[in-house]
Amino acid sequence: LKIISNNNQIAEEQYNQTSSTIFPDISLTANSKKIDIEKAIGYTIKDYTTETASLTITQPIFRLYFFDELNKAESQIKKSNVNLSGQKKDLLIKSAELYFSLINLKNNVSVSKIKQKIMSKKFKNAITLFASGLITDIELSNHENNLNLANIEMEIAEDQLALSKQDIYIFTGREIFDIQNLNTEVNIPLNIYEKESLFLQAIKTEENIKMAEYDIEITESEMKSNRSKHYPTIDLVASYDYTDSSSGGRFGSNTTESSTLGVSLNIPIYQGGYQSSKVNESRYVFENAKINFDQLKRNMQKDITDTVNQHDLLKKLIVVKKDYYKNSNDNYLTVKKGFMLGAYSDIQVQEAEYQLVQSKNELIKVTLDYLLIDLRLKKYSSELNVKNIESINQLLVW
């Protein structure tokens, strides 16, 4: 964001540089020279000093390309402002994406630990059964393999969580220790988007589209500017010159003061084809900008269609996962109660708990995916702001 902000300042400075070319150019040149005569033939010249001073003022009068360059600089500032706004919105989405990933990976670690405990318990029971001759060595080996796989899965989940924390550190410059989770008891607001109206809105306000439009303006101004450089330029030139030579020179001691005022006309005639080549180059760049704009609109329409479809699908999945979570919770309570009555074993209780935690994690993941998709659609509709992140924070619990 700091880099984009600096680029914004660069664009403003480039505008200042362009606008300054219409102001007078004032220069002062002063020289002091001491001449030592080593040899002179035909006339006598002694060592002498010469001091000169010249003040020159050049005022541009006619620069046809100036206005095109100014338009280009203005468009660059507008594009930079839009880019800065878009980057801020992208940061909102990126922050949510990274934190949601953190939540999901933390939940994966939790469910992996439960699975590891179940497999460990089953393997210990299998050892007892094998010692009693109730199961074969192949069955015992299968339980051992399942435990080893569960241990590996837990290590992978922990490594992924550690990497996700590193992503947060790279993004924010701060380490994160405590991680919130989604409150599954809160009702998530389910929004509705219409593809065609969303696309029409995005065409007017979406940052990438607006930047592509400014690219067309910038390249068109560049092309016009290069064409205008074929035309003459007119400058008003004024100068004041002062010369003071000490005695010893050819004409002895003398002081000269002079001033000039005139108009300078420069007519470009031949530059080896350089400017014509610049015109052709800028025309191709202009055409590419228009092609890129059209392609960007088509890609955006496809992305909006795909994103809205995912949004609608995730809304349906949330309903299904809620029911699945509710059923898993009812099953866990039943098995836990049955365990107290001796109807279920401790492993069956752990398996029911594993099923419950897994179903809860699936509900959380689907909901977080929905919230992230919703943020992306809000960016297209120009509704995305910090308040959207604050509302998501209210859905999280420790």
Side-chain angles (χ1 to χ4, degrees):
L1 185 63
K2 182 62 178 175
I3 291 173
I4 298 299
S5 178
N6 286 341
N7 288 339
N8 182 258
Q9 296 298 320
I10 290 172
E12 292 185 0
E13 293 302 328
Q14 288 174 340
Y15 176 83
N16 293 335
Q17 293 165 21
T18 301
S19 60
S20 69
T21 59
I22 202 64
F23 296 112
D25 182 15
I26 303 174
S27 62
L28 174 64
T29 305
N31 292 297
S32 179
K33 298 186 294 183
K34 184 177 185 304
I35 293 89
D36 295 327
I37 305 300
E38 304 294 337
K39 182 178 181 181
I41 299 176
Y43 53 85
T44 303
I45 301 178
K46 300 179 180 179
D47 296 347
Y48 66 97
T49 59
T50 301
E51 295 179 350
T52 61
S54 175
L55 178 66
T56 303
I57 302 175
T58 303
Q59 171 62 61
I61 297 177
F62 180 76
R63 294 279 194 280
L64 190 60
Y65 59 82
F66 168 77
F67 302 101
D68 297 318
E69 289 291 328
L70 198 62
N71 290 335
K72 182 178 74 172
E74 288 176 348
S75 297
Q76 286 174 334
I77 290 179
K78 293 176 182 177
K79 177 186 174 183
S80 180
N81 288 331
V82 170
N83 189 25
L84 185 61
S85 174
Q87 287 294 325
K88 289 179 179 178
K89 292 181 179 179
D90 288 338
L91 286 177
L92 294 178
I93 296 175
K94 185 66 176 178
S95 64
E97 181 182 1
L98 288 174
Y99 198 75
F100 290 174
S101 175
L102 205 61
I103 291 173
N104 288 326
L105 291 171
K106 178 190 175 185
N107 291 337
N108 285 346
V109 171
S110 299
V111 77
S112 296
K113 287 181 178 179
I114 296 174
K115 183 177 181 180
Q116 192 269 346
K117 289 179 182 179
I118 294 173
M119 295 306 161
S120 179
K121 184 69 174 178
K122 285 186 175 181
F123 179 59
K124 289 178 181 178
N125 292 343
I127 292 175
T128 304
L129 293 173
F130 178 73
S132 302
L134 297 175
I135 62 172
T136 64
D137 57 343
I138 294 177
E139 291 175 297
L140 177 63
S141 178
N142 287 336
H143 284 292
E144 185 178 11
N145 289 337
N146 289 336
L147 175 59
N148 291 334
L149 287 173
N151 290 332
I152 292 172
E153 288 176 5
M154 187 174 69
E155 289 181 14
I156 292 174
E158 290 175 341
D159 288 343
Q160 290 176 338
L161 178 60
L163 287 174
S164 184
K165 288 182 177 181
Q166 286 297 310
D167 289 335
I168 294 285
Y169 177 74
I170 292 171
F171 185 70
T172 65
R174 285 191 261 174
E175 293 186 10
I176 190 165
F177 300 100
D178 296 325
I179 306 170
Q180 292 172 294
N181 210 337
L182 182 69
N183 185 359
T184 54
E185 303 300 321
V186 175
N187 290 324
I188 306 297
L190 302 179
N191 300 317
I192 298 175
Y193 296 95
E194 203 277 318
K195 301 172 188 175
E196 188 62 30
S197 61
L198 189 62
F199 174 69
L200 293 175
Q201 178 68 23
I203 286 294
K204 298 176 183 177
T205 60
E206 208 278 328
E207 283 77 13
N208 289 326
I209 291 293
K210 293 172 72 174
M211 285 194 294
E213 288 178 333
Y214 286 130
D215 280 336
I216 293 176
E217 294 181 8
I218 291 169
T219 54
E220 184 178 19
S221 296
E222 176 72 15
M223 180 178 64
K224 290 180 179 179
S225 173
N226 286 325
R227 286 175 178 171
S228 299
K229 289 176 182 177
H230 282 296
Y231 295 101
T233 60
I234 301 175
D235 298 324
L236 178 65
V237 182
S239 65
Y240 168 78
D241 298 289
Y242 172 83
T243 304
D244 182 17
S245 297
S246 65
S247 61
R250 182 177 179 184
F251 301 104
S253 175
N254 66 84
T255 299
T256 305
E257 293 184 52
S258 65
S259 60
T260 60
L261 178 66
V263 176
S264 173
L265 172 65
N266 178 41
I267 302 176
I269 296 177
Y270 179 70
Q271 295 176 311
Y274 173 81
Q275 197 57 42
S276 297
S277 179
K278 290 292 291 183
V279 172
N280 292 333
E281 176 191 350
S282 59
R283 185 177 71 250
Y284 293 131
V285 174
F286 173 59
E287 290 176 359
N288 285 347
K290 292 194 293 184
I291 293 170
N292 179 65
F293 176 69
D294 292 335
Q295 188 66 31
L296 194 62
K297 286 196 297 184
R298 288 192 290 268
N299 288 338
M300 189 180 70
Q301 187 170 24
K302 175 187 174 183
D303 188 62
I304 287 176
T305 300
D306 181 53
T307 306
V308 171
N309 288 341
Q310 290 183 50
H311 188 267
D312 294 339
L313 178 62
L314 287 169
K315 285 192 292 186
K316 296 175 183 178
L317 277 174
I318 287 175
V319 176
V320 173
K321 294 298 182 181
K322 272 187 177 179
D323 291 339
Y324 181 54
Y325 171 56
K326 182 180 179 300
N327 293 336
S328 298
N329 186 56
D330 291 341
N331 180 63
Y332 172 70
L333 295 175
T334 300
V335 173
K336 191 174 181 181
K337 185 177 179 181
F339 173 73
M340 302 298 294
L341 299 174
Y344 293 99
S345 66
D346 57 345
I347 290 181
Q348 288 175 307
V349 173
Q350 288 182 339
E351 288 177 338
E353 181 188 7
Y354 173 79
Q355 195 68 37
L356 173 62
V357 175
Q358 190 175 45
S359 64
K360 182 179 180 180
N361 290 349
E362 289 176 0
L363 172 60
I364 290 173
K365 185 181 185 307
V366 168
T367 306
L368 295 179
D369 288 344
Y370 166 79
L371 292 173
L372 190 60
I373 289 287
D374 195 66
L375 289 177
R376 289 172 179 161
L377 290 176
K378 280 183 168 60
K379 184 175 185 293
Y380 281 126
S381 64
S382 194
E383 298 175 0
L384 182 62
N385 53 54
V386 177
K387 291 182 178 179
N388 300 127
I389 300 298
E390 292 174 351
S391 63
I392 289 177
N393 283 338
Q394 294 174 3
L395 304 175
L396 303 177
V397 291
W398 294 107

